[in-house]
Amino acid sequence: MSLAMEYRPSFIQDPVQLVNEWCSAQSQLYPGLRFDEKHSILYKPNLSEAGRVTVLSGGGSGHEPAHFGYVGHGLLDAAVAGSLFASPNVKQINRALEVAASPQGTIVIVKNYTGDKLNFALAIERFKSRTGNDVRMVLVGDDVSVPRSRGKFVGRRGLAGVALVHKIAGAAAHRGLDMDRIVELCDLACHNMGTIGASLAPCHVPGHPSDLKIETVDILLGMGIHNEPPISTLPMTSSPARVIQAMLQLLLDNELAEHGFLEPAVKDSSRNTVLLLNNLGGLSTIEIGALTAMTITIMRDRYKMVPCSVLRGTYLSALDGHGFSITLLSLVDSADGSLLLNLLDEQTDAIGWTPPSSLNRGSEPDAFEIHTTHPASGSICLEQDCRSLRNPSNPVPVIVESILAEVTRAEPTITKYDVVLGDGDCGTTLLAGAQALKRASDKGLLSEQEFAPSLMVLADIVIDAMGGTSGAIYGIFLTAFAASLNRLQKDSVDLSVKDFSFAASGALDILMNYTGARIGDRTLMDALIPFVTELKVSRNLSGPAAFQRALESAELGCQSTRQLHAKFGRSTYVSENVGRDTANGHTRPADPGACGLLAVLNGIQHVIKGC
């Protein structure tokens, strides 16, 4: 590989303008649909009167035609778009849930990425709590390239197979099937489906030079749709047949303990199999057609499998990713298998969907919101006996200013660490949240509130300003923390250290319902869990003393991540050897999320010490 700084030519260099113009085009191209420009949502009108289950999906932009291109009769009812390669935020998703709401319920289809999963989960829980509507999330993880040992905590990534799940769910909903039955069919498809990708070069984000521009001399096997590193490589001189054979081996060889995700029965020649050959964005139509023909031939000659249905084209791209992916969906020999096939065949007017071609059919089948009470006024007390720190004014604006100063100071380091082992946005995302809080504080949106309700306002601002995984995690924790304090703050009763530790412990429990990350998994939880745990242990001390001890525990937890390998987030898929810092005696840099949390806590500590 050779490294160089370079811009790749694009007609639209501004990624924000690119997404906005794409979204704007949808309202012009689909006159029967509605477009919510503020929240980037494309949807069908009057869904509450449809008399059936509705289907919603979404995710980061850059994967077109997913997901806007799949809104139409027989497919999705609504889709919500985030920025390039970034999950839509909770407010966007909440609005999408509102426009897609149906008395019969809503199914939300989400690709298995941490940011998407957490933001959609938070929005769903808040929406269900507020409305009582039945909303179910179907999580799609079909990538077979991620080894079991590396992805056992986060699961497989969501790739082009999500398009098949969209079609199955959408067609089933338009048939009038109920919620339980549609979810059952989606789960059946997910369980019997796998995808593997191969690329000649990483995709290019418009307007962004690549700090480490990779001119590949290898074919990248298993490269992710956000430029996540490949699981292995093949020589660039490898024939197309050799590449396809390697991909099919990862899909079908059950002797590969780390990758054999599909059941051995998938290779049974009597079973119907759907083949999806997906263009990642940068291949020509003729090349996709040729690769499809070669894949069918190799499946027949090597595995005695002839797909009964073939889909080829661009279903889930990675901007201009110069590669393709193969998805296999094995249809169980049952009425349900026949039904899945029929649902994929049913017509749709969604402009992004390319219908399948029928080949050998064998025997032809028959045709999170937490409700709170209004808090009474009260003051804040962080002293053990509530004698001091009785502050009739709201300290939140001062805390916000201190947090911004600390986050601004730490952001370059956090970003540097995240560039090495993540997608590089952890520091800038956290800084955007802190800056949004400061703007709100300057407008008086926080100073006019008592402490507990100020925290709820603060949580809403964070949810709106911070996208991706960190925004969802901070949003869930702050929402639950503020709700608990609202319940504790009664008529003129001061909040003590015990109250704060109780609220923090409860908020952590709620957060852990939505993420499996724990101590040792190299996430911000390595700092947050020790902080909350020590705050509870030290609840009988004075406020400053308790917070100092909790902060020291968080610092130790953050430093411990230098010796850990990630089990959650995009850094999960990065090689063990990336980012080693042996010169400083560390395995790798500290986790950027834990460093970010530490900056926030240090900002709070400065205010508490000043009191």
Side-chain angles (χ1 to χ4, degrees):
M1 296 184 182
S2 61
L3 305 179
M5 286 284 292
E6 103 174 25
Y7 280 90
R8 197 178 301 178
S10 298
F11 285 106
I12 302 176
Q13 287 286 344
D14 182 354
V16 175
Q17 180 191 13
L18 180 65
V19 174
N20 289 341
E21 294 295 344
W22 158 258
C23 291
S24 176
Q26 310 317 304
S27 60
Q28 300 172 34
L29 296 174
Y30 309 153
L33 302 178
R34 300 290 183 271
F35 179 58
D36 182 333
E37 183 176 0
K38 179 179 179 181
H39 299 94
S40 294
I41 302 165
L42 189 69
Y43 63 99
K44 299 176 184 176
N46 306 318
L47 288 171
S48 62
E49 302 170 8
R52 57 170 176 80
V53 172
T54 54
V55 183
L56 164 69
S57 188
S61 297
H63 302 304
E64 292 69 30
H67 301 273
F68 276 10
Y70 296 143
V71 178
H73 179 80
L75 236 158
L76 299 180
D77 294 297
V80 54
S83 301
L84 285 181
F85 292 168
S87 167
N89 64 40
V90 172
K91 287 194 174 181
Q92 288 178 271
I93 300 168
N94 180 73
R95 178 57 184 158
L97 289 167
E98 291 175 350
V99 300
S102 166
Q104 285 72 32
T106 301
I107 291 175
V108 183
I109 301 171
V110 180
K111 299 187 298 299
N112 186 30
Y113 291 92
T114 305
D116 291 289
K117 183 168 63 175
L118 287 176
N119 278 293
F120 275 93
L122 174 56
I124 288 170
E125 290 301 319
R126 290 168 67 97
F127 184 77
K128 286 165 59 178
S129 175
R130 187 174 71 254
T131 65
N133 287 26
D134 188 5
V135 181
R136 314 274 185 90
M137 184 166 73
V138 172
L139 200 61
V140 180
D142 52 318
D143 187 0
V144 301
S145 72
V146 179
R148 279 190 171 88
S149 59
R150 187 176 299 174
K152 61 183 178 180
F153 293 101
V154 293
R156 295 187 282 159
R157 300 179 291 206
L159 298 179
V162 73
L164 301 181
V165 180
H166 286 160
K167 186 63 174 65
I168 289 167
H174 281 79
R175 278 194 178 196
L177 301 187
D178 64 28
M179 178 81 82
D180 291 335
R181 181 62 170 144
I182 299 173
V183 171
E184 180 183 29
L185 291 171
C186 290
D187 288 343
L188 179 63
C190 291
H191 181 71
N192 290 279
M193 181 172 63
T195 299
I196 177 69
S199 296
L200 298 176
C203 66
H204 161 250
V205 178
H208 285 239
S210 178
D211 292 336
L212 293 176
K213 170 69 176 66
I214 302 177
E215 298 173 356
T216 58
V217 294
D218 294 315
I219 296 171
L220 310 172
L221 193 62
M223 186 170 192
I225 57 174
H226 310 100
N227 279 346
E228 296 96 336
I231 192 65
S232 62
T233 62
L234 293 170
M236 190 62 77
T237 55
S238 300
S239 68
R242 174 69 185 93
V243 176
I244 294 170
Q245 287 172 6
M247 297 169 76
L248 290 175
Q249 184 179 18
L250 286 170
L251 282 165
L252 297 172
D253 191 344
N254 295 98
E255 294 182 1
L256 297 175
E258 288 278 46
H259 301 279
F261 290 99
L262 300 183
E263 296 179 353
V266 168
K267 290 186 288 185
D268 187 340
S269 59
S270 66
R271 293 183 72 166
N272 284 325
T273 303
V274 175
L275 166 66
L276 167 61
L277 200 131
N278 174 61
N279 185 356
L280 290 172
L283 299 188
S284 64
T285 301
I286 190 172
E287 193 169 8
I288 287 295
L291 291 168
T292 302
M294 298 178 73
T295 302
I296 294 172
T297 299
I298 295 171
M299 287 178 63
R300 181 193 63 209
D301 294 347
R302 189 178 183 90
Y303 297 99
K304 311 304 179 186
M305 299 172 63
V306 178
C308 67
S309 185
V310 177
L311 301 94
R312 74 270 187 221
T314 306
Y315 291 85
L316 186 83
S317 66
L319 289 173
D320 60 350
H322 203 64
F324 69 102
S325 63
I326 297 174
T327 301
L328 295 182
L329 169 60
S330 178
L331 302 174
V332 293
D333 187 15
S334 66
D336 281 352
S338 297
L339 177 56
L340 290 179
L341 189 57
N342 288 338
L343 293 173
L344 289 171
D345 281 344
E346 288 188 359
Q347 292 185 347
T348 175
D349 60 2
I351 196 170
W353 178 260
T354 302
S357 299
S358 299
L359 299 184
N360 172 40
R361 286 294 176 96
S363 57
E364 190 68 19
D366 294 331
F368 181 66
E369 178 166 18
I370 302 174
H371 290 295
T372 60
T373 56
H374 293 289
S377 61
S379 57
I380 303 156
C381 176
L382 294 179
E383 286 295 320
Q384 177 185 356
D385 56 3
C386 295
R387 288 194 305 260
S388 62
L389 286 185
R390 294 180 59 86
N391 186 357
S393 63
N394 183 4
V396 173
V398 180
I399 291 174
V400 164
E401 187 170 355
S402 182
I403 289 174
L404 176 59
E406 279 298 308
V407 170
T408 301
R409 181 189 61 79
E411 184 272 326
T413 299
I414 297 171
T415 298
K416 176 183 176 182
Y417 288 175
D418 201 33
V419 166
V420 173
L421 285 172
D423 50 12
D425 67 346
C426 183
T428 54
T429 297
L430 185 61
L431 182 59
Q435 290 170 336
L437 292 176
K438 183 61 167 62
R439 288 194 296 271
S441 177
D442 291 343
K443 293 177 181 178
L445 299 180
L446 300 177
S447 59
E448 296 175 2
Q449 304 273 354
E450 292 290 337
F451 183 79
S454 276
L455 287 182
M456 189 62 80
V457 174
L458 184 147
D460 286 338
I461 295 169
V462 165
I463 290 169
D464 193 35
M466 294 175 62
T469 302
S470 56
I473 288 176
Y474 279 100
I476 292 171
F477 185 87
L478 287 172
T479 299
F481 182 68
S484 181
L485 289 181
N486 270 339
R487 289 191 292 268
L488 290 170
Q489 197 169 26
K490 304 295 183 181
D491 296 332
S492 299
V493 175
D494 297 323
L495 292 171
S496 66
V497 176
K498 291 182 180 179
D499 293 327
F500 277 90
S501 67
F502 176 86
S505 181
L508 180 62
D509 288 341
I510 290 175
L511 176 59
M512 290 194 296
N513 287 333
Y514 293 103
T515 175
R518 299 295 185 268
I519 291 177
D521 291 338
R522 188 176 165 81
T523 70
L524 66 78
M525 300 294 276
D526 284 289
L528 180 60
I529 294 175
F531 175 84
V532 173
T533 301
E534 183 56 41
L535 190 64
K536 186 175 181 180
V537 171
S538 304
R539 62 187 179 274
N540 292 322
L541 301 177
S542 67
F547 196 95
Q548 179 62 41
R549 288 195 178 187
L551 178 59
E552 290 170 357
S553 294
E555 289 175 339
L556 290 174
C558 178
Q559 291 303 315
S560 73
T561 63
R562 293 181 179 273
Q563 309 301 325
L564 301 174
H565 181 67
K567 299 178 182 177
F568 292 83
R570 288 182 185 162
S571 56
T572 303
Y573 311 116
V574 177
S575 168
E576 290 272 5
N577 296 315
V578 174
R580 292 187 181 275
D581 187 12
T582 53
N584 293 319
H586 299 304
T587 305
R588 53 180 59 82
D591 176 68
C595 293
L597 177 64
L598 206 58
V600 172
L601 296 176
N602 276 319
I604 298 173
Q605 171 71 347
H606 292 326
V607 175
I608 293 176
K609 289 172 64 177
C611 293

